Amino acid sequence: MNVEYWKHVWPSSEVLGEFVNSNASLFRNTTVVELGAGATGIPGIVASKCGAELVILTEHPHNQQALDLLKLNCIRNALRDSSFLVQGLDWESIPAIDSLLDQLHHLDFILAADVFYDPKVFESLVAAIAHIVDRFTSAQCFFTYEERDSEWSIEDLLFLNSLQCSPIRKIQSNQKTIHIGVIYSSRATMKSTSFFAGIEGGATQSHLVIIDDRGKKYGEWSHKGLNYHLEGRENVANEIAEWIRSVKKQLGMNGPLGAVGMGLSGAEDESVNEHVVGILRRQHGDVANEFFLTSDSVITIAATFNKGGVVVVAGTGSSCRLLKADGTVCGVGGWGHQIGDGGSGYWIANRAIRYVFDDEDGLSPSPYPITTVKRLLLEHFNIKDKIGILDSLYANFKKAHIASFTGKLAKEAANDPLVKVVFHEAGVLLGSHVRAISSHFDQEMLLDVPVVLVGSVFKSWSLVKAGFIEGVRKGNEGSRIKKVTLYLLEETPAVGAALLAARNVSVEVPHQQTSVVFDVLTFD
């Protein structure tokens, strides 16, 4: 053993520490062993700071000076006495490894920073990792190494020891190339590549599901919103990877999934989507073999229909998308409140407010009295006069806050004639979306257009329906569209993302759609 190695803070140790920190939730309440921690034990200390229940930091038993400094470093970093243990370990000694493992009820992670520094230690080190994961088959070994010779390889050793490895990413640090990877047992009971993850990423909340190649669902998980326009592309990619790692750990999956599908709010730009997918491929190779990203509207269609269809979204905003059987996507609307969102909750609220202003200004008399709408406007926004709404529309604008007025109108004034007019107008706009996108339909779809409805506006269908029919019929000369069947999806659209992910790698997963017919509209 070269006693000089342990004295240095190697770049690989810092890189592994940063990786642990960026996946903090993965290490919470876990048991961790760090091999070859040296005098610093950076990855292990970071794991403890991230909430690991117990971290055992090891170094060669003959190097007492390193062990003493390692313990001092843990104390100086204010680790709780019960949360860490510094212990000598010769990884060439199976009895020594067993003695360490006998202390544990379970083991989640092994950390190893730059321990692959010399080919002479490769065989014994891989054998040690194999022995550990043979005892704790769900344990994973996250490791980093500095690229010193491109000819060095542990591939054969991994195979001989029934281990597999997934590269995570490659980092340039101080003119050095650092690799991050994960080693795990190939004897794992679940073949991870036959599983697919699907994510529905909304602006405020997201959902994730895992299904297998037979269509069985293994669970559903929730998370905060995922919108790369708001949080940045790299941040969202990293959040997704960390989330999936945590879920895989819960399910006992060690290897990469077959594919991950994502349907994110606002993910309409293919070039941006490819950039996000590229980040996931380059920096999170352990998560999945492939990634697929589209909009949340498209995955809703995939979850509802086997052979394509249409989605009309009318929540805070609005949009319409067509997913064809061949995977082609066409769209109408979805351009935000400044130039779009026709028929949405925001549009309805804004339209009602505009009626009040235009009528009182004498610009355009309202077709019906504004009395009820104005009263509800003042009540809902807690303002003394209509001028008070300008602050919410401009200086402190929040789209969802304005859109919330639509719910009050529908609930408390559904029989008011002016409210009926506003919702009818919204219906016309939403129906026009279907009529506009019908230019992309084939003849078969024109006979019976499958449309899934999404969003709170459709809770007021009795107010919207007549206008919706008018919007579809408008410009539909000769009745190109013969019939529209409206559906509601009764499961998370994240399932659609998982199905598209599987399809993207040429796996057709059987799936029983859980949608119900909401209404049927016919056109002569």
Side-chain angles (χ1 to χ4, degrees), residues 108-240:
D108 300 287
F109 299 108
I110 306 161
L111 300 176
D114 216 9
V115 291
F116 291 104
Y117 59 88
D118 186 338
K120 295 177 183 177
V121 306
F122 287 4
E123 185 172 352
S124 59
L125 179 55
V126 171
I129 294 171
H131 188 74
I132 295 172
V133 300
D134 193 50
R135 286 276 299 268
F136 297 99
T137 54
S138 64
Q140 300 175 73
C141 175
F142 288 111
F143 68 97
T144 51
Y145 72 93
E146 180 182 322
E147 191 175 293
R148 296 181 173 90
D149 189 328
S150 60
E151 298 298 317
W152 290 0
S153 173
I154 60 171
E155 186 175 355
D156 291 341
L157 291 171
L158 292 173
F159 178 78
L160 291 172
N161 286 276
S162 299
L163 297 173
Q164 289 182 281
C165 176
S166 293
I168 297 176
R169 74 183 67 134
K170 184 167 62 174
I171 294 173
Q172 297 297 325
S173 176
N174 297 323
Q175 298 183 329
K176 299 180 185 299
T177 301
I178 310 294
H179 296 259
I180 309 177
V182 59
I183 296 171
Y184 48 92
S185 172
S186 59
R187 298 191 182 100
T189 55
M190 304 179 83
K191 186 181 178 184
S192 61
T193 53
S194 63
F195 290 82
F196 305 93
I199 292 176
E200 175 207 6
T204 57
Q205 192 174 44
S206 301
H207 300 278
L208 180 150
V209 298
I210 301 286
I211 63 173
D212 65 18
D213 53 8
R214 296 168 298 171
K216 180 181 177 182
K217 189 163 80 170
Y218 286 77
E220 182 176 336
W221 296 263
S222 297
H223 187 70
K224 72 178 187 64
L226 294 167
N227 186 312
Y228 59 58
H229 295 292
L230 300 176
E231 299 181 61
R233 303 171 193 178
E234 189 152 351
N235 288 338
V236 165
N238 291 340
E239 281 188 58
I240 288 170

Side-chain angles (χ1 to χ4, degrees), residues 367-412:
Y368 295 100
I370 63 171
T371 309
T372 299
V373 172
K374 183 177 180 181
R375 175 179 60 80
L376 293 176
L377 173 68
L378 301 182
E379 288 178 5
H380 185 70
F381 293 101
N382 193 27
I383 52 180
K384 294 180 179 180
D385 54 48
K386 71 176 189 289
I387 304 301
I389 193 62
L390 297 180
D391 181 68
S392 295
L393 286 171
Y394 298 103
N396 293 300
F397 176 73
K398 291 182 180 178
K399 183 177 173 180
H401 182 52
I402 300 298
S404 66
F405 183 43
T406 296
K408 190 173 186 72
L409 291 172
K411 183 178 180 180
E412 300 188 26

Side-chain angles (χ1 to χ4, degrees), residues 40-148:
T40 60
I42 292 173
I45 290 174
V46 173
S48 182
K49 288 290 189 179
C50 288
E53 183 179 356
L54 175 64
V55 177
I56 301 178
L57 302 102
T58 70
E59 180 53 54
H60 198 281
H62 293 168
N63 197 346
Q64 191 59 47
Q65 187 179 2
L67 291 167
D68 291 342
L69 287 171
L70 183 56
K71 185 173 183 178
L72 180 61
N73 201 21
C74 292
I75 295 170
R76 290 283 177 86
N77 280 278
L79 301 192
R80 291 179 295 104
D81 289 345
S82 60
S83 70
F84 78 94
L85 178 65
V86 173
Q87 186 167 326
L89 177 67
D90 179 0
W91 64 54
E92 293 186 346
S93 169
I94 296 301
I97 295 173
D98 283 334
S99 178
L100 183 148
L101 299 181
D102 287 343
Q103 304 172 55
L104 306 177
H105 296 295
H106 69 279
L107 177 64
D108 300 287
F109 299 108
I110 306 161
L111 300 176
D114 216 9
V115 291
F116 291 104
Y117 59 88
D118 186 338
K120 295 177 183 177
V121 306
F122 287 4
E123 185 172 352
S124 59
L125 179 55
V126 171
I129 294 171
H131 188 74
I132 295 172
V133 300
D134 193 50
R135 286 276 299 268
F136 297 99
T137 54
S138 64
Q140 300 175 73
C141 175
F142 288 111
F143 68 97
T144 51
Y145 72 93
E146 180 182 322
E147 191 175 293
R148 296 181 173 90

